[in-house]
Amino acid sequence: MTTSRPEHVVRAPLDRLLAQAERLVSRRIEPTLADAGLTVDQWRVLHLLADGSGRTMSAIAAAVAVPGPTLTKVVDRLVDAAAVYRLPDVQDRRRVLVLLSEDGRATHDRLAPLVRALEAEVLSTLGPDAALLLDLLDRLAART
């Protein structure tokens, strides 16, 4: 359901709207992740790697929108927790891949339904427009 806004009401800039929406979702999932000893950034890495593909640090940084130095700390903590591990890339031994460990898989599989439910709760406030929002955000993200 799309509502029109009066002409005199100024819409907030896109970057602010996206940041506010991101903070809303993060605040909703943070307590569940914290109970498991994870941060939102750590969860994003686990969720990205849950498809079973190893990724380079630069690919992970691009996918989860975290600066390289921050991502190094995030991955180091996940390695220390035995949730992920690093291996040399067999295609190019100069590169290192980050992969999900069995413990990381178990953590992801346990938390994924909880996170999905919390996200669905947030999206439920949009009613039928939620699917449209997700489609539009997918299109926008694919352009990067």
Side-chain angles (χ1 to χ4, degrees):
M1 171 168 111
T2 305
T3 59
S4 59
R5 91 185 12 249
E7 289 183 28
H8 67 280
V9 176
V10 177
R11 182 183 310 268
L14 176 63
D15 66 325
R16 187 179 335 147
L17 292 171
L18 291 171
Q20 288 172 328
E22 189 276 334
R23 281 193 292 278
L24 169 69
V25 174
S26 291
R27 278 195 311 268
R28 292 291 292 134
I29 66 174
E30 278 173 347
T32 298
L33 299 176
D35 288 347
L38 295 174
T39 66
V40 172
D41 287 338
Q42 289 169 333
W43 167 252
R44 289 175 180 157
V45 172
L46 286 184
H47 190 65
L48 178 68
L49 297 176
D51 68 1
S53 299
R55 303 249 185 357
T56 63
M57 291 290 283
S58 58
I60 295 170
V64 300
V66 174
T70 301
L71 180 64
T72 298
K73 292 175 189 169
V74 167
V75 170
D76 285 347
R77 288 186 186 115
L78 289 170
V79 168
D80 291 346
V84 302
Y85 60 97
R86 295 179 175 104
L87 280 180
D89 185 349
V90 294
Q91 306 287 340
D92 181 350
R93 299 203 52 81
R94 295 171 295 177
R95 295 183 341 161
V96 174
L97 298 177
V98 180
L99 297 109
L100 195 61
S101 70
E102 288 182 29
D103 287 349
R105 164 75 53 208
T107 298
H108 176 270
D109 291 351
R110 180 171 46 83
L111 292 175
L114 302 173
V115 171
R116 274 193 305 272
L118 292 167
E119 290 173 347
E121 188 179 301
V122 170
L123 288 170
S124 71
T125 63
L126 300 177
D129 287 337
L132 175 60
L133 174 65
L134 293 173
D135 289 343
L136 293 171
L137 289 172
D138 275 342
R139 284 177 39 201
L140 188 61
R143 297 186 58 102
T144 60

